[in-house]
Amino acid sequence: MRVLLLVLGLLLVGTPVAHAHAGGLTPQNHLSAVTSVDPPLSGVQVRMINHGTQLEVRNDGSAPLVIAGRTVRPGETARFRDDRTTADTWQIPLGESVVRGTTTRYDAPNALMWLLITVAVAALGVFLGRGLAWLAVATVLVTAANVAHALGSTMVVTGGSFLPLFVGASGVGLVCWPLAVLCAGAAVARKPATAFVAATVGAMLVVASIPDFDSFRFAQLPFAGSADLDRALVAITLGGGLALAVGGFSWMRRETAA
């Protein structure tokens, strides 16, 4: 058992921790949006991107435009942050026009409720330790939740290559996903290693999910789907990871004692 714990510790230390969300985007309780360009400019599109943190100006018109000290030539697209877009109502000059926008404030979600859901999922570890098949099924399900969270947070990012963003959002998940397949195969073969692999995946996913606690505290999440869906995925990954660790080590301890 001590050797197994040592191996698990080395895996946890040697694997990268994921960013909470892809592209460095963070949960928040406000969201900025462009309401108009006044007067309108032919061929020019302006919008807020990347969870309302950046202004994007696409110039398909015939003349260069100047905004926030930047020149956007015909055929070019500029993306940048501007602190003015965080005001309740804001405006930024764009050539002879003005970009107008608003920032909407949202109430924070019930963080305690989501923490209780996470604890309830973690409590399933007591039952998972009763059989290798249950451990394997739970490992696949919890890992799938982690994959969905990484995909959803990557899909919402504009202006970056998908693969590097996905890798950054996945972190330790890149190790967990093939291990989940290995766990399922070991369970089919009824190998005792199933429990250790499940516990390892669970512990890794707990580490990977720690930065995602903010998803329970903020209303707006950088995720290509509903915020509650993302919170549910985080609760499943974090709580399920704890359940796998508890269940896997419980099974190994019982087998060692026998």
Side-chain angles (χ1 to χ4, degrees):
M1 179 64 72
R2 292 180 180 178
V3 174
L4 293 178
L5 290 174
L6 177 60
V7 172
L8 176 57
L10 291 174
L11 285 172
L12 291 175
V13 171
T15 50
V17 177
H19 301 294
H21 291 85
L25 304 182
T26 58
Q28 54 194 21
N29 284 329
H30 64 273
L31 202 61
S32 299
V34 173
T35 56
S36 66
V37 177
D38 185 25
L41 294 170
S42 177
V44 177
Q45 300 178 27
V46 185
R47 61 172 181 160
M48 295 299 298
I49 60 171
N50 291 335
H51 201 43
T53 61
Q54 287 184 304
L55 194 64
E56 180 185 78
V57 179
R58 179 176 177 179
N59 186 2
D60 290 328
S62 58
L65 296 170
V66 176
I67 181 171
R70 297 168 173 81
T71 299
V72 187
R73 294 178 173 80
E76 292 184 343
T77 298
R79 302 182 181 96
F80 58 92
R81 293 177 181 267
D82 194 305
D83 290 339
R84 287 173 288 185
T85 61
T86 60
D88 290 341
T89 57
W90 50 271
Q91 59 183 34
I92 299 175
L94 173 62
E96 299 298 324
S97 298
V98 175
V99 178
R100 303 184 190 277
T102 60
T103 300
T104 304
R105 314 289 172 178
Y106 298 89
D107 293 331
N110 188 337
L112 178 59
M113 180 191 74
W114 287 103
L115 286 174
L116 291 176
I117 291 174
T118 302
V119 171
V121 174
L124 296 176
V126 176
F127 304 98
L128 294 181
R130 297 180 179 179
L132 295 180
W134 287 110
L135 279 170
V137 170
T139 300
V140 172
L141 292 177
V142 174
T143 304
N146 179 252
V147 174
H149 169 71
L151 280 173
S153 65
T154 303
M155 291 171 63
V156 78
V157 180
T158 300
S161 299
F162 180 85
L163 186 57
L165 289 169
F166 182 63
V167 170
S170 304
V172 73
L174 295 175
V175 179
C176 293
W177 304 341
L179 285 179
V181 176
L182 178 63
C183 182
V188 171
R190 298 183 179 180
K191 293 184 177 180
T194 302
F196 176 67
V197 177
T200 300
V201 170
M204 286 183 168
L205 290 179
V206 170
V207 173
S209 300
I210 289 175
D212 290 312
F213 265 117
D214 278 349
S215 297
F216 297 158
R217 302 193 302 116
F218 292 93
Q220 295 297 312
L221 308 182
F223 181 77
S226 72
D228 281 343
L229 172 59
D230 194 27
R231 292 187 190 99
L233 293 174
V234 171
I236 292 172
T237 303
L238 181 56
L242 288 169
L244 290 174
V246 171
F249 282 115
S250 294
W251 192 93
M252 287 187 288
R253 179 177 296 178
R254 187 171 62 252
E255 289 298 305
T256 301

